[in-house]
Tab-separated table of all heavy atoms in Angstrom:
chain	number	residue	atom	x	y	z
W	1	PRO	N	18.150	-16.171	12.803
W	1	PRO	CA	17.903	-15.021	13.695
W	1	PRO	C	16.593	-14.302	13.339
W	1	PRO	O	16.246	-14.154	12.165
W	1	PRO	CB	19.100	-14.111	13.448
W	1	PRO	CG	20.085	-14.902	12.682
W	1	PRO	CD	19.371	-16.040	12.040
W	2	LEU	N	15.860	-13.870	14.360
W	2	LEU	CA	14.589	-13.173	14.140
W	2	LEU	C	14.781	-11.878	13.357
W	2	LEU	O	13.912	-11.484	12.581
W	2	LEU	CB	13.901	-12.883	15.473
W	2	LEU	CG	13.311	-14.102	16.191
W	2	LEU	CD1	12.682	-13.675	17.520
W	2	LEU	CD2	12.297	-14.809	15.331
W	3	ALA	N	15.913	-11.234	13.516
W	3	ALA	CA	16.174	-10.001	12.768
W	3	ALA	C	16.236	-10.292	11.265
W	3	ALA	O	15.749	-9.510	10.448
W	3	ALA	CB	17.471	-9.363	13.236
W	4	ALA	N	16.805	-11.435	10.901
W	4	ALA	CA	16.860	-11.812	9.481
W	4	ALA	C	15.470	-12.112	8.945
W	4	ALA	O	15.108	-11.708	7.836
W	4	ALA	CB	17.779	-13.021	9.296
W	5	LEU	N	14.654	-12.816	9.749
W	5	LEU	CA	13.276	-13.095	9.325
W	5	LEU	C	12.472	-11.801	9.196
W	5	LEU	O	11.674	-11.653	8.271
W	5	LEU	CB	12.601	-14.035	10.325
W	5	LEU	CG	13.075	-15.486	10.311
W	5	LEU	CD1	12.384	-16.276	11.415
W	5	LEU	CD2	12.814	-16.123	8.958
W	6	ALA	N	12.696	-10.870	10.118
W	6	ALA	CA	11.991	-9.585	10.042
W	6	ALA	C	12.393	-8.838	8.789
W	6	ALA	O	11.542	-8.235	8.118
W	6	ALA	CB	12.297	-8.752	11.280
W	7	GLY	N	13.666	-8.874	8.432
W	7	GLY	CA	14.134	-8.217	7.206
W	7	GLY	C	13.507	-8.832	5.962
W	7	GLY	O	13.086	-8.118	5.044
W	8	ILE	N	13.430	-10.159	5.936
W	8	ILE	CA	12.803	-10.844	4.793
W	8	ILE	C	11.330	-10.474	4.713
W	8	ILE	O	10.805	-10.185	3.631
W	8	ILE	CB	12.982	-12.373	4.917
W	8	ILE	CG1	14.462	-12.739	4.746
W	8	ILE	CG2	12.117	-13.112	3.913
W	8	ILE	CD1	14.791	-14.175	5.094
W	9	LEU	N	10.667	-10.461	5.855
W	9	LEU	CA	9.243	-10.109	5.882
W	9	LEU	C	9.020	-8.679	5.401
W	9	LEU	O	8.093	-8.406	4.625
W	9	LEU	CB	8.684	-10.288	7.295
W	9	LEU	CG	7.193	-10.052	7.471
W	9	LEU	CD1	6.394	-11.005	6.609
W	9	LEU	CD2	6.804	-10.188	8.920
W	10	MET	N	9.870	-7.761	5.832
W	10	MET	CA	9.753	-6.359	5.389
W	10	MET	C	9.978	-6.251	3.879
W	10	MET	O	9.266	-5.523	3.188
W	10	MET	CB	10.752	-5.473	6.129
W	10	MET	CG	10.565	-5.437	7.617
W	10	MET	SD	9.671	-4.067	8.283
W	10	MET	CE	10.325	-2.666	7.544
W	11	PHE	N	10.956	-6.981	3.357
W	11	PHE	CA	11.245	-6.958	1.922
W	11	PHE	C	10.062	-7.488	1.118
W	11	PHE	O	9.653	-6.886	0.118
W	11	PHE	CB	12.510	-7.783	1.627
W	11	PHE	CG	12.870	-7.831	0.185
W	11	PHE	CD1	13.462	-6.741	-0.438
W	11	PHE	CD2	12.601	-8.964	-0.580
W	11	PHE	CE1	13.791	-6.770	-1.776
W	11	PHE	CE2	12.925	-9.003	-1.917
W	11	PHE	CZ	13.526	-7.905	-2.523
W	12	VAL	N	9.495	-8.605	1.564
W	12	VAL	CA	8.341	-9.192	0.873
W	12	VAL	C	7.152	-8.234	0.937
W	12	VAL	O	6.456	-8.003	-0.071
W	12	VAL	CB	7.988	-10.569	1.474
W	12	VAL	CG1	6.653	-11.069	0.954
W	12	VAL	CG2	9.082	-11.580	1.167
W	13	ALA	N	6.894	-7.648	2.103
W	13	ALA	CA	5.770	-6.723	2.252
W	13	ALA	C	5.953	-5.497	1.362
W	13	ALA	O	4.997	-5.015	0.742
W	13	ALA	CB	5.630	-6.297	3.709
W	14	TRP	N	7.164	-4.984	1.294
W	14	TRP	CA	7.432	-3.821	0.438
W	14	TRP	C	7.158	-4.147	-1.029
W	14	TRP	O	6.542	-3.364	-1.739
W	14	TRP	CB	8.869	-3.347	0.625
W	14	TRP	CG	9.183	-2.147	-0.204
W	14	TRP	CD1	9.795	-2.121	-1.418
W	14	TRP	CD2	8.845	-0.794	0.092
W	14	TRP	NE1	9.876	-0.838	-1.891
W	14	TRP	CE2	9.302	0.000	-0.976
W	14	TRP	CE3	8.209	-0.179	1.161
W	14	TRP	CZ2	9.135	1.372	-1.001
W	14	TRP	CZ3	8.056	1.185	1.121
W	14	TRP	CH2	8.509	1.947	0.057
W	15	ASN	N	7.596	-5.306	-1.475
W	15	ASN	CA	7.386	-5.691	-2.879
W	15	ASN	C	5.918	-5.991	-3.188
W	15	ASN	O	5.483	-5.838	-4.326
W	15	ASN	CB	8.257	-6.900	-3.242
W	15	ASN	CG	9.710	-6.519	-3.362
W	15	ASN	OD1	10.043	-5.367	-3.644
W	15	ASN	ND2	10.588	-7.472	-3.125
W	16	MET	N	5.152	-6.416	-2.190
W	16	MET	CA	3.727	-6.695	-2.405
W	16	MET	C	2.885	-5.423	-2.345
W	16	MET	O	1.727	-5.439	-2.743
W	16	MET	CB	3.215	-7.660	-1.330
W	16	MET	CG	3.574	-9.090	-1.594
W	16	MET	SD	2.988	-10.199	-0.292
W	16	MET	CE	1.420	-9.548	0.153
W	17	GLY	N	3.442	-4.346	-1.838
W	17	GLY	CA	2.674	-3.133	-1.560
W	17	GLY	C	2.027	-2.466	-2.751
W	17	GLY	O	1.034	-1.784	-2.608
W	18	GLU	N	2.572	-2.647	-3.937
W	18	GLU	CA	2.070	-1.983	-5.147
W	18	GLU	C	1.894	-0.482	-4.890
W	18	GLU	O	0.817	0.082	-5.041
W	18	GLU	CB	0.776	-2.629	-5.629
W	18	GLU	CG	0.984	-4.085	-6.011
W	18	GLU	CD	-0.185	-4.679	-6.768
W	18	GLU	OE1	-1.005	-3.922	-7.311
W	18	GLU	OE2	-0.257	-5.906	-6.807
W	19	TRP	N	2.974	0.168	-4.516
W	19	TRP	CA	2.970	1.569	-4.122
W	19	TRP	C	2.615	2.502	-5.266
W	19	TRP	O	2.169	3.623	-5.029
W	19	TRP	CB	4.333	1.945	-3.521
W	19	TRP	CG	4.680	1.038	-2.381
W	19	TRP	CD1	5.568	0.009	-2.392
W	19	TRP	CD2	4.088	1.041	-1.088
W	19	TRP	NE1	5.581	-0.623	-1.178
W	19	TRP	CE2	4.688	-0.003	-0.346
W	19	TRP	CE3	3.125	1.825	-0.465
W	19	TRP	CZ2	4.347	-0.281	0.966
W	19	TRP	CZ3	2.797	1.542	0.847
W	19	TRP	CH2	3.399	0.510	1.540
W	20	HIS	N	2.760	2.044	-6.501
W	20	HIS	CA	2.412	2.895	-7.644
W	20	HIS	C	0.917	3.228	-7.656
W	20	HIS	O	0.515	4.233	-8.237
W	20	HIS	CB	2.818	2.212	-8.955
W	20	HIS	CG	2.101	0.917	-9.199
W	20	HIS	ND1	2.517	-0.282	-8.639
W	20	HIS	CD2	0.993	0.633	-9.918
W	20	HIS	CE1	1.685	-1.242	-9.010
W	20	HIS	NE2	0.758	-0.714	-9.782
W	21	GLU	N	0.105	2.420	-6.993
W	21	GLU	CA	-1.341	2.685	-6.936
W	21	GLU	C	-1.638	3.986	-6.196
W	21	GLU	O	-2.611	4.671	-6.503
W	21	GLU	CB	-2.078	1.530	-6.271
W	21	GLU	CG	-2.117	0.263	-7.105
W	21	GLU	CD	-2.885	0.438	-8.398
W	21	GLU	OE1	-3.912	1.152	-8.416
W	21	GLU	OE2	-2.442	-0.138	-9.414
W	22	PHE	N	-0.824	4.340	-5.217
W	22	PHE	CA	-1.053	5.585	-4.478
W	22	PHE	C	-0.842	6.803	-5.378
W	22	PHE	O	-1.480	7.835	-5.181
W	22	PHE	CB	-0.141	5.660	-3.247
W	22	PHE	CG	-0.615	4.786	-2.126
W	22	PHE	CD1	-0.082	3.516	-1.947
W	22	PHE	CD2	-1.611	5.216	-1.268
W	22	PHE	CE1	-0.533	2.706	-0.917
W	22	PHE	CE2	-2.060	4.417	-0.238
W	22	PHE	CZ	-1.519	3.148	-0.063
W	23	GLY	N	0.033	6.681	-6.361
W	23	GLY	CA	0.238	7.780	-7.304
W	23	GLY	C	-0.959	8.002	-8.210
W	23	GLY	O	-1.176	9.107	-8.714
W	24	ARG	N	-1.763	6.977	-8.410
W	24	ARG	CA	-2.955	7.071	-9.264
W	24	ARG	C	-4.202	7.508	-8.503
W	24	ARG	O	-5.270	7.665	-9.098
W	24	ARG	CB	-3.220	5.717	-9.917
W	24	ARG	CG	-2.131	5.290	-10.868
W	24	ARG	CD	-2.410	3.943	-11.500
W	24	ARG	NE	-3.834	3.698	-11.657
W	24	ARG	CZ	-4.358	2.496	-11.859
W	24	ARG	NH1	-3.594	1.457	-11.913
W	24	ARG	NH2	-5.659	2.341	-12.004
W	25	LEU	N	-4.092	7.721	-7.202
W	25	LEU	CA	-5.271	8.034	-6.382
W	25	LEU	C	-6.034	9.257	-6.850
W	25	LEU	O	-7.258	9.295	-6.761
W	25	LEU	CB	-4.852	8.240	-4.924
W	25	LEU	CG	-4.830	7.003	-4.051
W	25	LEU	CD1	-4.392	7.364	-2.654
W	25	LEU	CD2	-6.152	6.302	-4.034
W	26	ARG	N	-5.338	10.270	-7.332
W	26	ARG	CA	-6.025	11.517	-7.699
W	26	ARG	C	-6.997	11.317	-8.859
W	26	ARG	O	-7.867	12.137	-9.093
W	26	ARG	CB	-5.018	12.608	-8.002
W	26	ARG	CG	-4.130	12.328	-9.185
W	26	ARG	CD	-3.102	13.454	-9.394
W	26	ARG	NE	-2.112	13.063	-10.369
W	26	ARG	CZ	-1.028	12.359	-10.119
W	26	ARG	NH1	-0.776	11.954	-8.902
W	26	ARG	NH2	-0.181	12.044	-11.071
W	27	ARG	N	-6.867	10.228	-9.590
W	27	ARG	CA	-7.775	9.942	-10.717
W	27	ARG	C	-9.123	9.383	-10.256
W	27	ARG	O	-10.069	9.346	-11.034
W	27	ARG	CB	-7.148	8.913	-11.653
W	27	ARG	CG	-5.904	9.360	-12.323
W	27	ARG	CD	-5.439	8.292	-13.273
W	27	ARG	NE	-4.067	8.520	-13.676
W	27	ARG	CZ	-3.299	7.616	-14.219
W	27	ARG	NH1	-3.756	6.397	-14.407
W	27	ARG	NH2	-2.074	7.898	-14.562
W	28	PHE	N	-9.173	8.911	-9.023
W	28	PHE	CA	-10.368	8.220	-8.552
W	28	PHE	C	-11.250	9.128	-7.712
W	28	PHE	O	-10.842	10.210	-7.298
W	28	PHE	CB	-9.964	6.977	-7.746
W	28	PHE	CG	-9.202	5.970	-8.564
W	28	PHE	CD1	-7.860	5.734	-8.316
W	28	PHE	CD2	-9.807	5.276	-9.590
W	28	PHE	CE1	-7.146	4.820	-9.065
W	28	PHE	CE2	-9.107	4.363	-10.340
W	28	PHE	CZ	-7.770	4.130	-10.085
W	29	SER	N	-12.456	8.659	-7.427
W	29	SER	CA	-13.418	9.446	-6.653
W	29	SER	C	-12.969	9.569	-5.193
W	29	SER	O	-12.151	8.793	-4.703
W	29	SER	CB	-14.795	8.780	-6.708
W	29	SER	OG	-14.759	7.551	-5.999
W	30	VAL	N	-13.563	10.532	-4.511
W	30	VAL	CA	-13.253	10.759	-3.103
W	30	VAL	C	-13.619	9.521	-2.283
W	30	VAL	O	-12.891	9.137	-1.361
W	30	VAL	CB	-14.002	12.007	-2.581
W	30	VAL	CG1	-13.825	12.167	-1.084
W	30	VAL	CG2	-13.540	13.245	-3.315
W	31	GLN	N	-14.727	8.890	-2.626
W	31	GLN	CA	-15.146	7.703	-1.891
W	31	GLN	C	-14.105	6.588	-2.017
W	31	GLN	O	-13.727	5.961	-1.024
W	31	GLN	CB	-16.504	7.185	-2.400
W	31	GLN	CG	-17.645	8.092	-2.086
W	31	GLN	CD	-17.918	9.116	-3.165
W	31	GLN	OE1	-17.178	9.250	-4.125
W	31	GLN	NE2	-18.991	9.864	-2.998
W	32	TYR	N	-13.628	6.349	-3.236
W	32	TYR	CA	-12.634	5.297	-3.450
W	32	TYR	C	-11.342	5.624	-2.703
W	32	TYR	O	-10.747	4.755	-2.056
W	32	TYR	CB	-12.357	5.122	-4.945
W	32	TYR	CG	-11.351	4.040	-5.234
W	32	TYR	CD1	-11.731	2.700	-5.232
W	32	TYR	CD2	-10.022	4.351	-5.476
W	32	TYR	CE1	-10.814	1.701	-5.485
W	32	TYR	CE2	-9.090	3.355	-5.723
W	32	TYR	CZ	-9.496	2.038	-5.735
W	32	TYR	OH	-8.580	1.053	-5.963
W	33	ARG	N	-10.927	6.872	-2.769
W	33	ARG	CA	-9.699	7.272	-2.069
W	33	ARG	C	-9.845	7.085	-0.560
W	33	ARG	O	-8.928	6.624	0.112
W	33	ARG	CB	-9.357	8.730	-2.368
W	33	ARG	CG	-8.794	8.921	-3.758
W	33	ARG	CD	-8.383	10.341	-3.954
W	33	ARG	NE	-9.579	11.155	-4.173
W	33	ARG	CZ	-9.605	12.313	-4.776
W	33	ARG	NH1	-8.489	12.853	-5.194
W	33	ARG	NH2	-10.711	12.961	-4.955
W	34	THR	N	-11.004	7.453	-0.030
W	34	THR	CA	-11.247	7.308	1.405
W	34	THR	C	-11.158	5.843	1.823
W	34	THR	O	-10.533	5.509	2.833
W	34	THR	CB	-12.632	7.876	1.776
W	34	THR	OG1	-12.690	9.234	1.377
W	34	THR	CG2	-12.907	7.754	3.261
W	35	ILE	N	-11.772	4.973	1.039
W	35	ILE	CA	-11.751	3.544	1.360
W	35	ILE	C	-10.330	3.001	1.282
W	35	ILE	O	-9.868	2.297	2.191
W	35	ILE	CB	-12.697	2.763	0.430
W	35	ILE	CG1	-14.150	3.147	0.715
W	35	ILE	CG2	-12.503	1.259	0.597
W	35	ILE	CD1	-15.135	2.654	-0.312
W	36	LEU	N	-9.606	3.331	0.217
W	36	LEU	CA	-8.252	2.792	0.039
W	36	LEU	C	-7.301	3.288	1.131
W	36	LEU	O	-6.625	2.495	1.787
W	36	LEU	CB	-7.698	3.154	-1.335
W	36	LEU	CG	-6.281	2.621	-1.593
W	36	LEU	CD1	-6.329	1.136	-1.885
W	36	LEU	CD2	-5.635	3.348	-2.736
W	37	VAL	N	-7.255	4.596	1.340
W	37	VAL	CA	-6.327	5.154	2.322
W	37	VAL	C	-6.739	4.747	3.741
W	37	VAL	O	-5.881	4.417	4.576
W	37	VAL	CB	-6.231	6.692	2.173
W	37	VAL	CG1	-5.433	7.306	3.298
W	37	VAL	CG2	-5.626	7.038	0.829
W	38	GLY	N	-8.044	4.750	4.016
W	38	GLY	CA	-8.512	4.346	5.342
W	38	GLY	C	-8.181	2.895	5.648
W	38	GLY	O	-7.701	2.568	6.743
W	39	THR	N	-8.418	2.018	4.679
W	39	THR	CA	-8.102	0.601	4.877
W	39	THR	C	-6.603	0.403	5.040
W	39	THR	O	-6.153	-0.366	5.896
W	39	THR	CB	-8.632	-0.229	3.685
W	39	THR	OG1	-10.030	0.017	3.550
W	39	THR	CG2	-8.418	-1.708	3.911
W	40	PHE	N	-5.811	1.106	4.246
W	40	PHE	CA	-4.354	1.012	4.360
W	40	PHE	C	-3.889	1.460	5.748
W	40	PHE	O	-3.118	0.766	6.413
W	40	PHE	CB	-3.690	1.859	3.278
W	40	PHE	CG	-2.196	1.943	3.409
W	40	PHE	CD1	-1.398	0.885	3.012
W	40	PHE	CD2	-1.593	3.065	3.942
W	40	PHE	CE1	-0.027	0.951	3.141
W	40	PHE	CE2	-0.219	3.144	4.078
W	40	PHE	CZ	0.567	2.077	3.678
W	41	ALA	N	-4.370	2.614	6.195
W	41	ALA	CA	-3.956	3.148	7.496
W	41	ALA	C	-4.374	2.225	8.633
W	41	ALA	O	-3.594	1.975	9.568
W	41	ALA	CB	-4.540	4.543	7.705
W	42	LEU	N	-5.588	1.691	8.562
W	42	LEU	CA	-6.041	0.785	9.619
W	42	LEU	C	-5.254	-0.525	9.613
W	42	LEU	O	-5.034	-1.115	10.680
W	42	LEU	CB	-7.540	0.506	9.466
W	42	LEU	CG	-8.450	1.678	9.817
W	42	LEU	CD1	-9.888	1.386	9.427
W	42	LEU	CD2	-8.356	2.004	11.292
W	43	THR	N	-4.823	-0.972	8.445
W	43	THR	CA	-4.001	-2.178	8.383
W	43	THR	C	-2.666	-1.946	9.068
W	43	THR	O	-2.179	-2.797	9.810
W	43	THR	CB	-3.768	-2.598	6.911
W	43	THR	OG1	-5.029	-2.817	6.286
W	43	THR	CG2	-2.942	-3.861	6.837
W	44	VAL	N	-2.080	-0.776	8.849
W	44	VAL	CA	-0.782	-0.469	9.453
W	44	VAL	C	-0.926	-0.244	10.964
W	44	VAL	O	-0.151	-0.760	11.756
W	44	VAL	CB	-0.143	0.759	8.771
W	44	VAL	CG1	1.094	1.211	9.512
W	44	VAL	CG2	0.181	0.436	7.315
């Protein structure tokens, strides 16, 4: 079923996301943050 494939895809994408990197954003420059968040938002 496509719903099962969608669930697997969502699970894999969530695990690949490396969400802990967003918590470290405040340590980086404004330029780096802009590139990372902008690229992430445009991907979504």
